[in-house]
Amino acid sequence: MPEYSLAALFLVGLLGGGHCLGMCGGLVTALSLQLPAARSRTPFILAYNIGRVASYTAVGAIAGGIGGLGLAALRLQAAQLALFVLAQGLMILLGLYLAGVSAWITRVESVGRPLWRRVQPLMKRLIPVRSPAGALLVGALWGWLPCGLVYSASLTALASGSVAGGAAGMFAFALGTLPNLLAMGAFAEVLKTWLTRRWVRVVAGCSVIAVALWQLSHVARQLV
Protein backbone atom coordinates (compact mmCIF):
# COMPACT_ATOMS: atom_id res chain seq x y z
CA MET A 1 0.00 0.00 0.00
CA PRO A 2 1.61 3.32 -1.10
CA GLU A 3 2.75 5.77 1.59
CA TYR A 4 0.25 8.42 0.50
CA SER A 5 -2.61 5.91 0.92
CA LEU A 6 -1.39 5.14 4.45
CA ALA A 7 -1.22 8.87 5.15
CA ALA A 8 -4.78 9.28 3.88
CA LEU A 9 -6.02 6.48 6.17
CA PHE A 10 -4.18 8.09 9.08
CA LEU A 11 -5.97 11.37 8.30
CA VAL A 12 -9.32 9.59 8.22
CA GLY A 13 -8.66 8.14 11.68
CA LEU A 14 -7.43 11.44 13.09
CA LEU A 15 -9.98 13.81 11.57
CA GLY A 16 -12.82 11.38 12.16
CA GLY A 17 -12.25 12.23 15.84
CA GLY A 18 -15.72 13.61 16.37
CA HIS A 19 -17.21 10.30 15.25
CA CYS A 20 -14.73 8.33 17.38
CA LEU A 21 -15.38 10.37 20.51
CA GLY A 22 -19.11 10.11 19.96
CA MET A 23 -19.07 6.31 19.58
CA CYS A 24 -16.24 5.32 21.93
CA GLY A 25 -15.83 8.27 24.30
CA GLY A 26 -18.65 7.09 26.55
CA LEU A 27 -17.23 3.58 26.61
CA VAL A 28 -13.77 4.87 27.58
CA THR A 29 -15.27 6.97 30.39
CA ALA A 30 -17.41 4.09 31.70
CA LEU A 31 -14.48 1.68 31.70
CA SER A 32 -12.26 4.25 33.42
CA LEU A 33 -14.79 4.85 36.20
CA GLN A 34 -14.84 1.12 36.98
CA LEU A 35 -11.08 0.87 37.46
CA PRO A 36 -9.60 0.22 40.93
CA ALA A 37 -9.57 3.58 42.75
CA ALA A 38 -6.09 3.13 44.22
CA ARG A 39 -4.39 2.44 40.86
CA SER A 40 -3.24 4.72 38.06
CA ARG A 41 -5.55 4.74 35.06
CA THR A 42 -2.75 5.26 32.52
CA PRO A 43 -1.67 1.58 32.13
CA PHE A 44 -5.31 0.55 31.73
CA ILE A 45 -6.10 3.20 29.11
CA LEU A 46 -2.95 2.29 27.17
CA ALA A 47 -3.86 -1.41 27.36
CA TYR A 48 -7.40 -0.72 26.08
CA ASN A 49 -6.03 1.10 23.06
CA ILE A 50 -3.22 -1.39 22.34
CA GLY A 51 -5.85 -4.13 22.23
CA ARG A 52 -8.06 -2.03 19.95
CA VAL A 53 -5.19 -1.20 17.59
CA ALA A 54 -4.22 -4.89 17.49
CA SER A 55 -7.80 -5.83 16.51
CA TYR A 56 -7.91 -3.23 13.75
CA THR A 57 -4.57 -4.43 12.39
CA ALA A 58 -5.74 -8.06 12.49
CA VAL A 59 -8.91 -7.11 10.61
CA GLY A 60 -6.77 -5.38 8.00
CA ALA A 61 -4.52 -8.43 7.63
CA ILE A 62 -7.52 -10.75 7.24
CA ALA A 63 -9.20 -8.44 4.73
CA GLY A 64 -5.99 -8.00 2.75
CA GLY A 65 -5.43 -11.76 2.75
CA ILE A 66 -8.95 -12.41 1.46
CA GLY A 67 -8.40 -9.84 -1.28
CA GLY A 68 -5.10 -11.49 -2.19
CA LEU A 69 -6.68 -14.94 -2.36
CA GLY A 70 -9.35 -13.60 -4.67
CA LEU A 71 -6.76 -12.10 -6.97
CA ALA A 72 -4.70 -15.32 -6.96
CA ALA A 73 -7.78 -17.42 -7.76
CA LEU A 74 -9.00 -15.18 -10.57
CA ARG A 75 -5.57 -14.28 -11.94
CA LEU A 76 -7.17 -11.40 -13.75
CA GLN A 77 -5.76 -7.91 -14.03
CA ALA A 78 -9.36 -6.72 -14.30
CA ALA A 79 -10.07 -8.02 -10.76
CA GLN A 80 -7.07 -6.16 -9.37
CA LEU A 81 -8.18 -3.01 -11.15
CA ALA A 82 -11.72 -3.39 -9.79
CA LEU A 83 -10.42 -3.70 -6.22
CA PHE A 84 -8.22 -0.65 -6.72
CA VAL A 85 -11.11 1.44 -8.03
CA LEU A 86 -13.28 0.23 -5.12
CA ALA A 87 -10.60 1.33 -2.65
CA GLN A 88 -10.36 4.80 -4.19
CA GLY A 89 -14.16 5.11 -4.30
CA LEU A 90 -14.30 4.35 -0.58
CA MET A 91 -11.55 6.89 0.08
CA ILE A 92 -13.62 9.51 -1.75
CA LEU A 93 -16.66 8.65 0.40
CA LEU A 94 -14.49 8.90 3.52
CA GLY A 95 -13.24 12.29 2.32
CA LEU A 96 -16.83 13.48 1.81
CA TYR A 97 -17.62 12.34 5.36
CA LEU A 98 -14.64 14.21 6.80
CA ALA A 99 -15.62 17.34 4.88
CA GLY A 100 -19.13 17.13 6.32
CA VAL A 101 -20.71 16.73 2.89
CA SER A 102 -22.16 13.22 3.31
CA ALA A 103 -22.48 10.74 6.19
CA TRP A 104 -23.51 7.89 3.87
CA ILE A 105 -20.38 5.92 4.75
CA THR A 106 -21.60 5.45 8.34
CA ARG A 107 -24.58 3.40 7.11
CA VAL A 108 -22.38 0.34 6.78
CA GLU A 109 -22.32 0.13 10.61
CA SER A 110 -25.49 -1.96 10.47
CA VAL A 111 -23.52 -4.74 8.72
CA GLY A 112 -21.50 -5.50 11.85
CA ARG A 113 -24.26 -5.38 14.45
CA PRO A 114 -25.00 -9.16 14.35
CA LEU A 115 -21.33 -9.89 15.06
CA TRP A 116 -21.24 -7.28 17.84
CA ARG A 117 -24.21 -8.95 19.53
CA ARG A 118 -22.05 -12.06 19.85
CA VAL A 119 -18.91 -10.22 20.96
CA GLN A 120 -20.57 -7.90 23.50
CA PRO A 121 -21.45 -10.65 26.05
CA LEU A 122 -17.78 -11.76 26.06
CA MET A 123 -16.73 -8.21 26.78
CA LYS A 124 -19.23 -7.86 29.63
CA ARG A 125 -17.75 -10.92 31.33
CA LEU A 126 -14.40 -9.13 31.59
CA ILE A 127 -15.91 -6.04 33.24
CA PRO A 128 -15.08 -4.63 35.75
CA VAL A 129 -11.47 -4.68 34.64
CA ARG A 130 -8.99 -5.38 37.42
CA SER A 131 -5.66 -5.58 35.59
CA PRO A 132 -3.93 -4.17 32.48
CA ALA A 133 -4.05 -7.70 30.99
CA GLY A 134 -7.84 -7.67 31.37
CA ALA A 135 -7.92 -4.19 29.82
CA LEU A 136 -5.93 -5.52 26.85
CA LEU A 137 -8.55 -8.24 26.25
CA VAL A 138 -11.40 -5.76 26.59
CA GLY A 139 -9.66 -3.44 24.11
CA ALA A 140 -9.25 -6.31 21.64
CA LEU A 141 -13.00 -7.01 21.81
CA TRP A 142 -13.79 -3.29 21.72
CA GLY A 143 -12.09 -3.21 18.30
CA TRP A 144 -15.10 -5.09 16.88
CA LEU A 145 -17.59 -2.34 17.83
CA PRO A 146 -19.64 -1.47 14.70
CA CYS A 147 -18.14 1.66 13.15
CA GLY A 148 -18.64 2.98 9.65
CA LEU A 149 -15.14 4.45 9.47
CA VAL A 150 -13.53 1.18 10.59
CA TYR A 151 -15.55 -0.89 8.12
CA SER A 152 -14.79 1.46 5.23
CA ALA A 153 -11.07 1.45 6.04
CA SER A 154 -11.28 -2.37 6.22
CA LEU A 155 -12.68 -2.51 2.70
CA THR A 156 -9.76 -0.38 1.58
CA ALA A 157 -7.51 -2.98 3.23
CA LEU A 158 -9.36 -5.67 1.26
CA ALA A 159 -8.53 -3.83 -1.93
CA SER A 160 -4.82 -3.80 -1.05
CA GLY A 161 -4.74 -7.47 -2.04
CA SER A 162 -2.13 -8.56 0.52
CA VAL A 163 -1.89 -9.41 4.22
CA ALA A 164 0.93 -6.91 4.78
CA GLY A 165 -0.80 -4.13 2.85
CA GLY A 166 -4.11 -4.65 4.64
CA ALA A 167 -2.45 -4.75 8.06
CA ALA A 168 -0.41 -1.62 7.30
CA GLY A 169 -3.49 0.29 6.15
CA MET A 170 -5.54 -0.52 9.24
CA PHE A 171 -2.57 0.13 11.52
CA ALA A 172 -2.20 3.60 9.99
CA PHE A 173 -5.93 4.21 10.50
CA ALA A 174 -5.72 2.98 14.11
CA LEU A 175 -2.78 5.28 14.86
CA GLY A 176 -4.88 8.19 13.63
CA THR A 177 -7.63 7.37 16.13
CA LEU A 178 -5.26 7.23 19.12
CA PRO A 179 -4.93 10.97 19.93
CA ASN A 180 -8.70 11.32 20.29
CA LEU A 181 -9.20 8.29 22.54
CA LEU A 182 -6.06 8.77 24.64
CA ALA A 183 -6.99 12.38 25.37
CA MET A 184 -9.16 12.64 28.45
CA GLY A 185 -10.82 15.46 30.39
CA ALA A 186 -10.49 19.08 29.31
CA PHE A 187 -7.92 18.35 26.59
CA ALA A 188 -10.35 15.95 24.93
CA GLU A 189 -12.92 18.74 24.68
CA VAL A 190 -10.33 21.12 23.19
CA LEU A 191 -9.27 18.47 20.68
CA LYS A 192 -12.86 17.66 19.76
CA THR A 193 -13.63 21.37 19.24
CA TRP A 194 -10.60 21.79 16.97
CA LEU A 195 -11.33 18.66 14.94
CA THR A 196 -14.95 19.66 14.35
CA ARG A 197 -14.06 23.09 12.94
CA ARG A 198 -15.48 23.45 9.47
CA TRP A 199 -12.27 24.49 7.72
CA VAL A 200 -10.26 21.67 9.31
CA ARG A 201 -12.79 19.07 8.16
CA VAL A 202 -12.98 20.53 4.65
CA VAL A 203 -9.19 20.62 4.23
CA ALA A 204 -8.85 17.05 5.55
CA GLY A 205 -11.69 15.74 3.38
CA CYS A 206 -10.38 17.43 0.26
CA SER A 207 -6.88 16.08 0.94
CA VAL A 208 -8.18 12.49 1.14
CA ILE A 209 -10.30 12.95 -1.99
CA ALA A 210 -7.34 14.49 -3.85
CA VAL A 211 -5.15 11.46 -3.04
CA ALA A 212 -7.86 9.07 -4.32
CA LEU A 213 -8.44 11.06 -7.52
CA TRP A 214 -4.70 11.32 -8.16
CA GLN A 215 -4.32 7.56 -7.89
CA LEU A 216 -7.30 6.98 -10.20
CA SER A 217 -5.89 9.41 -12.78
CA HIS A 218 -2.50 7.69 -12.58
CA VAL A 219 -4.11 4.32 -13.42
CA ALA A 220 -6.24 5.90 -16.15
CA ARG A 221 -3.12 7.30 -17.85
CA GLN A 222 -1.54 3.85 -17.81
CA LEU A 223 -4.61 2.27 -19.42
CA VAL A 224 -4.85 4.83 -22.23
Side-chain angles (χ1 to χ4, degrees):
M1 185 171 286
E3 289 78 4
Y4 36 81
S5 295
L6 297 179
L9 284 170
F10 177 84
L11 269 181
V12 169
L14 179 64
L15 277 303
H19 185 77
C20 290
L21 288 172
M23 286 200 66
C24 299
L27 179 58
V28 173
T29 302
L31 290 173
S32 298
L33 291 175
Q34 294 178 4
L35 296 177
R39 302 188 63 176
S40 170
R41 295 182 179 182
T42 302
F44 290 85
I45 293 173
L46 288 175
Y48 288 139
N49 283 282
I50 290 172
R52 184 176 58 83
V53 169
S55 284
Y56 289 173
T57 305
V59 168
I62 293 169
I66 292 172
L69 288 174
L71 291 177
L74 293 173
R75 296 184 179 180
L76 294 174
Q77 186 178 4
Q80 187 174 12
L81 179 62
L83 281 177
F84 180 83
V85 172
L86 171 65
Q88 304 319 308
L90 289 169
M91 292 299 290
I92 291 172
L93 289 175
L94 286 168
L96 291 173
Y97 170 77
L98 291 183
V101 175
S102 171
W104 184 89
I105 203 73
T106 61
R107 295 181 183 179
V108 300
E109 289 171 6
S110 59
V111 175
R113 285 173 187 160
L115 175 61
W116 178 244
R117 282 196 290 268
R118 294 179 178 274
V119 172
Q120 195 172 22
L122 299 176
M123 188 172 174
K124 287 181 177 179
R125 292 178 188 174
L126 298 171
I127 298 174
V129 177
R130 297 302 182 193
S131 69
L136 186 68
L137 291 174
V138 169
L141 294 174
W142 169 18
W144 297 92
L145 179 74
C147 173
L149 296 185
V150 173
Y151 291 167
S152 301
S154 299
L155 289 174
T156 302
L158 173 72
S160 72
S162 74
V163 172
M170 286 303 290
F171 183 70
F173 170 81
L175 287 182
T177 66
L178 279 179
N180 298 293
L181 296 177
L182 287 175
M184 302 298 290
F187 181 67
E189 289 302 316
V190 172
L191 184 62
K192 183 177 180 180
T193 299
W194 189 81
L195 290 176
T196 53
R197 288 179 178 173
R198 177 66 178 169
W199 72 268
V200 173
R201 292 181 63 89
V202 169
V203 169
C206 289
S207 298
V208 172
I209 292 171
V211 169
L213 291 176
W214 183 84
Q215 293 191 96
L216 287 173
S217 66
H218 180 66
V219 172
R221 286 195 300 271
Q222 290 182 328
L223 294 175
V224 172

